């Protein structure tokens, strides 16, 4: 793309017009579903993914797929130099346990990969970014529901790598006029439009419970029954993937040059592990065998979002806050894809 075309594109930036968008990690669970929402909104979507954890089949129809590793700096630079209005950055490693045993690949992929992306955006004059951050940056906060002003004190390497990226983005906003929004997700759940969650290994609670409902696993382990919570199990704030996708569309319209905005994204309601197991039993009509197990290292007892800020400033409102809806949609995906995407 020529320099002149790029600048005029920046000048013509209009949030109502269809945009040309780059979605990194668009073959993953969250990236693919957000990409599908963007396509449905009339935008042009190019997915950039190395397919190391994502699935080719998850890339929604209508999106172009470029198979690129963010660590491949020169290739990333030429991929980003394609006349994009904005980037939505999901590509990352996100397993808390793995991040502790292999911190080097978490810093390299999450921090180094994002640095390459930011440099490619700077070179191509792409000045709008929505970043997939995480509640893991807060660690074990004293104030719950957690506001954005809560001091970030991550208790694991994954959270630290994402926090480093948030700081890096803030610095790029100040120094290079980037306009960015970081969304700090709590526990994303559910499925949408035939796309859903398929991780290897699967460590998340709802998909693991549904593997029991499917008959693929005999029982689900409940990690920790001695927390200081009403039923002794850990409490999380689950948010439907469609509501999360809505927030990305709003965030895309809220980037401002030189400003880094940070929003928490959850429902503000917590459910314990036992409550999720019970809800899944009701939704699926299957018996879910659960076994009590020791606490998982690094798991905070309670993570619930204050989502006041995104509600007030961006007008976000969850459409599917019920746990039953989330589990029901995840169950429909699990039944349609008992072996995941099968790749
Ligand atoms: N859990 C079980 N059994 C399982 C799986 C999980 O009891 O088989 C428990 C966990 O110990 C935790 C809760 O269920 O208490 C939720 O666990 P998940 O693994 O589903 O999710 P996490 O809360 O650990 O982590 C999720 C994302 C992270 C993100 C974090 C932010 O996976 O990437 O939310 O809150 F950082």
């Amino acid at each position: 793309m020529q320099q002149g075309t790029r600048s005029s594109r920046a000048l013509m930036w209009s949030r109502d017009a269809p945009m040309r968008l780059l979605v990194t990690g668009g073959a993953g669970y969250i990236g693919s579903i957000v990409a599908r929402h963007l396509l449905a909104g009339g935008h042009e979507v190019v997915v950039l993914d190395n397919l190391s954890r994502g699935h080719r089949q998850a890339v929604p129809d209508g999106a172009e797929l470029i198979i690129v590793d963010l660590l491949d700096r020169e290739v990333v630079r030429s991929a980003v130099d394609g006349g994009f209005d904005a980037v939505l950055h999901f590509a990352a490693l996100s397993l808390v346990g793995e991040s502790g045993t292999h911190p080097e690949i978490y810093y390299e992929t999450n921090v180094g990969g994002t640095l390459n992306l930011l440099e490619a955006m700077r070179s191509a004059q792409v000045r709008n970014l929505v970043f997939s951050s995480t509640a893991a940056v807060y660690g074990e906060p004293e104030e719950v529901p957690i506001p954005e002003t809560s001091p970030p004190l991550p208790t694991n390497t994954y959270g630290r790598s994402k926090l480093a990226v948030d700081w890096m983005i803030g610095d790029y906003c100040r120094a290079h006029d980037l306009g960015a929004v970081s969304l700090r997700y709590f526990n994303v759940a559910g499925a949408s439009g035939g796309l859903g969650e398929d991780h290897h290994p699967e460590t998340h609670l709802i998909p693991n419970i549904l593997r029991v409902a499917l008959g693929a696993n005999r029982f689900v382990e409940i990690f920790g029954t001695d927390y200081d919570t009403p039923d002794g199990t850990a409490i999380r704030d689950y948010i439907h993937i469609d509501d999360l996708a809505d927030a990305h569309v709003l965030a895309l319209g809220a980037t401002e040059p030189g400003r880094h905005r940070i929003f928490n994204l959850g429902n503000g309601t917590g459910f314990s592990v036992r409550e999720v197991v019970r809800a899944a039993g009701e939704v699926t009509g299957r018996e879910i065998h659960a076994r009590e197990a020791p606490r998982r290292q690094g798991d905070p007892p309670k993570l619930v979002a204050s989502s006041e800020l995104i509600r007030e400033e961006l007008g976000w409102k969850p459409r599917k806050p019920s746990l039953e809806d989330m589990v029901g949609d995840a169950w429909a995906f699990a039944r349609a894809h008992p072996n995941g995407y099968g790749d």
Side-chain angles (χ1 to χ4, degrees):
M1 169 119 341
Q2 298 302 302
Q3 187 71 35
T5 320
R6 264 199 233 121
S7 336
S8 54
R9 202 164 179 104
L11 286 172
M12 279 162 38
W13 164 261
S14 159
R15 302 183 193 252
D16 301 324
M19 290 181 264
R20 180 167 158 79
L21 303 169
L22 184 69
V23 177
T24 76
Y29 168 46
I30 298 174
S32 64
I33 292 176
V34 173
R36 199 182 62 75
H37 277 252
L38 296 169
L39 287 160
H43 301 295
E44 193 184 333
V45 172
V46 176
V47 164
L48 193 152
D49 202 297
N50 67 2
L51 298 182
S52 71
R53 304 273 163 115
H55 311 275
R56 190 185 286 272
Q57 299 89 318
V59 177
D61 289 343
E64 181 190 342
L65 169 65
I66 306 180
I67 303 172
V68 172
D69 193 311
L70 282 181
L71 295 177
D72 200 339
R73 195 189 315 181
E74 288 314 312
V75 184
V76 170
R77 194 175 283 244
S78 65
V80 174
D81 195 14
F84 293 103
D85 295 301
V87 173
L88 295 101
H89 179 34
F90 300 93
L93 296 175
S94 62
L95 298 177
V96 170
E98 183 186 59
S99 75
T101 48
H102 290 291
E104 65 286 355
I105 64 165
Y106 274 70
Y107 285 110
E108 183 178 54
T109 306
N110 295 356
V111 181
T114 305
L115 179 59
N116 287 346
L117 177 68
L118 289 173
E119 278 301 277
M121 289 174 67
R122 189 156 75 97
S123 153
Q125 297 181 37
V126 181
R127 294 214 171 88
N128 300 286
L129 174 71
V130 178
F131 173 59
S132 167
S133 186
T134 171
V137 301
Y138 293 115
E140 300 192 16
E142 283 176 14
E143 190 181 352
V144 179
I146 305 166
E148 289 79 355
T149 48
S150 187
L153 292 167
T155 50
N156 56 59
T157 305
Y158 166 64
R160 283 188 281 275
S161 72
K162 285 280 185 169
L163 180 60
V165 173
D166 265 343
W167 282 340
M168 190 160 66
I169 290 171
D171 287 334
Y172 267 69
C173 289
R174 280 182 288 275
H176 300 311
D177 248 5
L178 179 71
V181 176
S182 286
L183 297 175
R184 290 183 171 164
Y185 315 152
F186 283 63
N187 288 59
V188 189
S192 174
L195 301 174
E197 203 165 354
D198 178 16
H199 299 114
H200 300 278
E202 187 52 81
T203 60
H204 294 98
L205 178 63
I206 293 175
N208 276 346
I209 293 174
L210 296 180
R211 293 195 58 71
V212 179
L214 277 175
N217 289 351
R218 284 191 301 122
F219 59 88
V220 62
E221 288 184 308
I222 297 182
F223 297 140
T225 52
D226 57 350
Y227 286 105
D228 184 16
T229 58
D231 68 14
T233 67
I235 292 175
R236 294 290 181 273
D237 181 342
Y238 295 87
I239 172 172
H240 196 289
I241 182 75
D242 280 334
D243 289 330
L244 190 93
D246 285 350
H248 286 76
V249 174
L250 294 169
L252 207 45
T255 57
E256 291 172 29
R259 189 169 176 205
H260 183 205
R261 307 178 77 177
I262 296 178
F263 297 104
N264 288 348
L265 204 47
N267 277 304
T269 311
F271 294 99
S272 72
V273 173
R274 284 196 205 282
E275 285 173 323
V276 178
V277 171
R278 200 174 311 125
E282 282 162 18
V283 168
T284 61
R286 311 264 169 105
E287 199 174 342
I288 311 291
H289 294 287
R291 277 193 195 170
E292 297 187 0
R295 291 182 182 195
R296 196 170 62 177
Q297 207 188 349
D299 273 349
K302 185 172 181 181
L303 285 175
V304 176
S306 163
S307 55
E308 286 308 303
L309 197 66
I310 191 163
R311 287 172 193 257
E312 271 169 33
E313 295 200 3
L314 303 191
W316 177 77
K317 196 170 180 291
R319 291 182 287 146
K320 297 180 176 175
S322 100
L323 184 60
E324 284 70 23
D325 277 350
M326 295 180 222
V327 174
D329 289 350
W331 177 230
F333 177 78
R335 280 207 290 186
H337 302 271
N339 300 311
Y341 287 106
D343 52 359

